[in-house]
């Protein structure tokens, strides 16, 4: 009997204590895990149900890896497998997903498409079907929690399920740490291993690229990795919180390469999409909340998908506790009380013209100075009129004050601009959706 097998129960309890895992979580997720076998420095652990595999793998793998490595005083890794009766197909899927670092739950079939992300979704599907051939790199950008990682990971899963291509997902933080560790080892073999890992794959997915900015050695390694993959027609998919043009301190050599592919953004979801997201989340997780409560969450949580799902889970969990595990008895008033710290009606957001100016400029990928300038070209005039319109709709400032911001002699130009947008949104759905998206960004501040 190996040391790990002999001390298996103590190892699990050590993880519980070290990482402060709650008693209920330990009983549900960790207690059922059983030692299976060892192959070299890899330990296989049985998961009793296929349904538990994804959650355990995502949330507890790191804890087991670190604890086993500490115990054995050398690097060990754990791999979770479904219990003895799992078939070979499941085993291969688990192994493949582990090697690629893909998050299991993020797939195209559970990504909710709305006006805020339809272009990004279409581009992602195209790249998944034609990796390395078109739109290379694919650069997906937008605020935190809007679905960039979901969409990127869905591409990876689709490619793996429909080809034999090698896919690797990594966050920029993980990539940076690997570069640092290779440098720390101080030998050419470590760096050669790093380069071999990232430059001999078919699809590279890099999440939150903005975090490599300013890290000289990491940038250098990524630059050459990017060039190697692109020159060999390998697919590169990148996410960021900003458009490359708005990433301060980004080296020009990166900016030009990012701009050479297809750039698509994801906006905060509109009300209808938020409702669809919550209902899909409920269906996927087999949780129920009354429609009026889902409507309340969708109407008041506007910033991102993560906060929507967090609010749903909070209401569901506390609602079950307050109603003796009968969620059907939860009332709207109870839900409002549960979410009172997340949805504050007593602290209205102060929206300034300057903030609107920044949000409009960011949405249209121009500078704020362009909007306040004397330029008359069409790609500046429309954002300027949208700015006028939103100032009238969302603030209490006078039109004369808006005229001052735009260096206009009087407010007649502002009235004209607002009227122009009023008429246009009656017949132009795309403009109407754009204004709604900008409003959502503003409200989520």
């Amino acid at each position: 009997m190996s040391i790990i097998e002999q001390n298996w129960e103590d190892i699990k309890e050590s993880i519980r204590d070290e990482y402060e895992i709650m008693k209920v979580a330990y009983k549900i997720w960790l207690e059922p895990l059983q030692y299976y076998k060892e192959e070299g420095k890899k330990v296989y652990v049985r998961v009793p149900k296929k349904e538990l595999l994804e959650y355990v793998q995502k949330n507890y793998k790191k804890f087991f890896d670190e604890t086993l490595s500490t115990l054995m005083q050398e690097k060990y890794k754990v791999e979770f497998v479904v219990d003895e009766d799992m078939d070979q197909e499941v085993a291969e899927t688990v192994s493949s997903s582990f090697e690629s670092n893909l998050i299991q739950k993020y797939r195209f079939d559970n990504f909710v498409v709305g006006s805020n992300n339809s272009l990004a979704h279409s581009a992602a599907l195209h790249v998944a079907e034609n990796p390395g051939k078109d739109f290379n790199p694919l650069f997906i950008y937008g605020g935190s929690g809007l679905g960039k990682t979901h969409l990127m990971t869905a591409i990876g899963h689709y490619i793996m399920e429909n080809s034999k291509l090698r896919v690797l997902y990594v966050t920029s933080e993980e990539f940076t740490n690997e570069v640092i560790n290779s440098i720390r080892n101080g030998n050419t073999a470590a760096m050669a291993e790093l380069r071999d890992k990232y430059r001999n794959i078919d699809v590279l997915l890099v999440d939150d690229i903005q975090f490599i900015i300013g890290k000289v050695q990491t940038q250098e390694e990524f630059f050459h990795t990017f060039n190697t993959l692109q020159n060999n027609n390998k697919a590169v998919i990148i996410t960021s919180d900003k458009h490359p043009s708005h990433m301060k301190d980004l080296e020009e050599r990166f900016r030009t390469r990012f701009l050479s592919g297809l750039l698509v953004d994801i906006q905060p979801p509109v009300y209808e999409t938020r409702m669809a997201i919550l209902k899909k989340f409920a269906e996927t997780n087999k949780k129920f909340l009354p429609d009026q409560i889902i409507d309340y969450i969708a109407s008041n949580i506007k910033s991102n998908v993560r906060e929507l799902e967090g609010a749903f889970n909070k209401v569901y969990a506390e609602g079950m506790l307050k109603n003796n595990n009968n969620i059907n008895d939860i009332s709207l008033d109870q839900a409002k009380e549960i979410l009172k710290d997340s949805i504050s009606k007593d602290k209205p957001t102060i929206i300034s013209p300057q903030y609107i100016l920044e949000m409009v400029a960011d949405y249209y990928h121009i500078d704020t100075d362009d909007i306040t300038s004397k330029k008359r070209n069409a790609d500046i005039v429309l954002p300027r009129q949208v700015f006028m319109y939103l100032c009238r709709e969302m603030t209490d400032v006078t039109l004369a004050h808006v005229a001052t911001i735009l260096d206009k002699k009087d407010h007649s130009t502002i009235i004209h601009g607002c009227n122009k947008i009023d008429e246009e949104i009656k017949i132009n759905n795309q403009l109407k959706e754009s204004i709604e998206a900008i409003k959502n960004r503003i409200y989520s501040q």
Side-chain angles (χ1 to χ4, degrees):
M1 182 181 292
S2 73
I3 294 174
I4 294 175
E5 183 178 7
Q6 185 177 346
N7 293 279
W8 183 246
E9 293 304 318
D10 291 337
I11 289 169
K12 290 192 293 183
E13 289 180 9
S14 173
I15 290 172
R16 179 189 63 189
D17 296 338
E18 177 70 20
Y19 298 99
E20 298 181 344
I21 296 170
M22 295 179 64
K23 186 175 181 180
V24 173
Y26 178 82
K27 189 169 185 64
I28 294 173
W29 303 109
L30 294 190
E31 194 173 81
L33 301 180
Q34 296 298 318
Y35 173 92
Y36 179 37
K37 65 178 181 177
E38 291 174 47
E39 289 182 0
K41 294 180 177 61
K42 183 178 286 188
V43 179
Y44 290 85
V45 176
R46 288 175 178 163
V47 180
K49 294 181 186 177
K50 183 178 174 182
E51 292 78 12
L52 302 181
L53 180 64
E54 176 188 326
Y55 187 88
V56 170
Q57 189 163 273
K58 177 184 175 184
N59 292 280
Y60 296 109
K61 180 187 184 312
K62 183 179 179 182
F63 299 161
F64 277 94
D65 286 348
E66 292 177 353
T67 302
L68 293 177
S69 297
T70 300
L71 174 67
M72 305 303 292
Q73 297 186 330
E74 56 182 318
K75 193 167 185 178
Y76 265 69
K77 287 194 172 185
V78 69
E79 181 159 346
F80 298 105
V81 294
V82 180
D83 213 349
E84 291 175 313
D85 60 348
M86 77 175 188
D87 57 30
Q88 186 61 30
E89 181 181 350
V90 173
E92 290 174 357
T93 301
V94 172
S95 175
S96 179
S97 297
F98 168 73
E99 294 299 329
S100 297
N101 294 330
L102 293 175
I103 302 168
Q104 284 293 318
K105 69 178 181 178
Y106 290 155
R107 299 172 183 270
F108 281 121
D109 60 6
N110 59 8
F111 184 85
V112 177
V113 182
S115 59
N116 61 306
N117 59 24
S118 57
L119 178 58
H121 178 261
S122 296
L125 270 177
H126 185 89
V127 169
E129 292 169 348
N130 306 276
K133 296 179 181 178
D134 299 314
F135 308 152
N136 199 24
L138 175 63
F139 193 102
I140 307 171
Y141 67 97
S144 175
L146 295 180
K148 302 186 300 297
T149 300
H150 188 151
L151 207 50
M152 164 185 275
T153 308
I155 295 173
H157 280 301
Y158 185 97
I159 292 172
M160 288 181 60
E161 290 163 4
N162 292 278
S163 73
K164 295 183 179 179
L165 297 181
R166 293 160 297 174
V167 177
L168 180 61
Y169 166 85
V170 66
T171 67
S172 60
E173 182 182 8
E174 290 167 343
F175 184 78
T176 300
N177 289 337
E178 290 188 53
V179 171
I180 292 171
N181 289 335
S182 297
I183 295 171
R184 185 181 296 152
N185 286 335
N187 59 66
T188 55
M191 191 58 73
E193 184 179 346
L194 174 75
R195 290 168 181 167
D196 181 69
K197 173 182 177 179
Y198 284 101
R199 300 182 192 181
N200 290 294
I201 55 175
D202 301 299
V203 182
L204 178 61
L205 312 169
V206 185
D207 214 356
D208 289 324
I209 194 67
Q210 70 272 12
F211 291 123
I212 73 165
I213 296 175
K215 298 167 183 171
V216 178
Q217 193 73 44
T218 303
Q219 286 185 160
E220 195 65 26
E221 283 304 317
F222 180 74
F223 178 76
H224 293 296
T225 295
F226 180 95
N227 281 348
T228 299
L229 293 173
Q230 192 177 51
N231 291 340
N232 288 295
N233 297 318
K234 306 301 184 182
V236 181
I237 298 95
I238 297 168
T239 72
S240 173
D241 63 343
K242 293 183 179 67
H243 188 283
S245 299
H246 298 155
M247 296 169 71
K248 292 181 180 179
D249 303 322
L250 179 67
E251 292 182 14
E252 193 58 31
R253 58 178 178 165
F254 284 106
R255 200 185 316 276
T256 55
R257 280 163 175 78
F258 294 162
L259 293 172
S260 69
L262 177 66
L263 290 91
V264 290
D265 68 336
I266 298 181
Q267 301 292 333
V270 298
Y271 168 78
E272 291 80 4
T273 307
R274 296 196 296 270
M275 284 290 290
I277 289 169
L278 289 170
K279 291 190 173 184
K280 184 71 173 180
F281 182 75
E283 176 188 338
T284 302
N285 292 278
K286 296 180 173 57
K287 296 178 179 178
F288 167 81
L289 283 179
D291 285 345
Q292 61 176 350
I293 294 177
I294 291 180
D295 174 76
Y296 178 75
I297 295 172
S299 298
N300 289 279
I301 304 288
K302 302 177 180 179
S303 52
N304 62 57
V305 178
R306 196 174 296 137
E307 289 189 15
L308 276 173
E309 294 177 350
F312 185 105
N313 276 333
K314 185 177 177 66
V315 172
Y316 184 86
E318 294 192 29
M320 291 284 281
L321 290 173
K322 291 177 185 292
N323 294 283
N324 298 317
N325 291 328
N326 188 354
I327 199 64
N328 291 303
D329 290 342
I330 187 172
S331 68
L332 180 58
D333 286 339
Q334 282 182 317
K336 289 180 178 179
E337 177 65 21
I338 291 169
L339 294 175
K340 66 180 180 182
D341 293 330
S342 305
I343 303 170
S344 176
K345 298 297 185 182
D346 299 324
K347 296 180 180 179
T349 302
I350 299 174
I351 299 171
S352 68
Q354 182 59 37
Y355 189 74
I356 294 175
L357 183 65
E358 292 170 3
M359 291 295 100
V360 172
D362 184 68
Y363 182 84
Y364 285 104
H365 310 141
I366 58 178
D367 293 330
T368 55
D369 290 344
D370 290 327
I371 295 178
T372 58
S373 71
K374 301 290 186 183
K375 294 178 182 178
R376 298 292 304 163
N377 39 313
D379 58 340
I380 301 299
V381 170
L382 176 61
R384 185 179 295 139
Q385 290 176 339
V386 169
F387 167 68
M388 298 173 186
Y389 174 84
L390 291 175
C391 282
R392 187 193 70 183
E393 295 295 305
M394 304 181 73
T395 74
D396 294 327
V397 301
T398 64
L399 296 185
H401 181 70
V402 178
T404 301
I405 295 172
L406 296 174
D407 197 22
K408 304 295 182 184
K409 292 181 179 180
D410 57 55
H411 64 276
S412 60
T413 304
I414 312 303
I415 295 173
H416 172 75
C418 292
N419 290 341
K420 183 81 173 175
I421 297 298
D422 276 328
E423 293 303 315
E424 187 68 19
I425 59 177
K426 293 176 182 177
I427 56 174
N428 187 334
N429 284 333
Q430 184 175 354
L431 176 60
K432 185 176 180 180
E433 290 173 358
S434 293
I435 289 175
E436 183 67 24
I438 297 170
K439 282 184 176 181
N440 283 333
R441 283 189 178 190
I442 293 168
Y443 282 131
S444 67
Q445 67 169 314

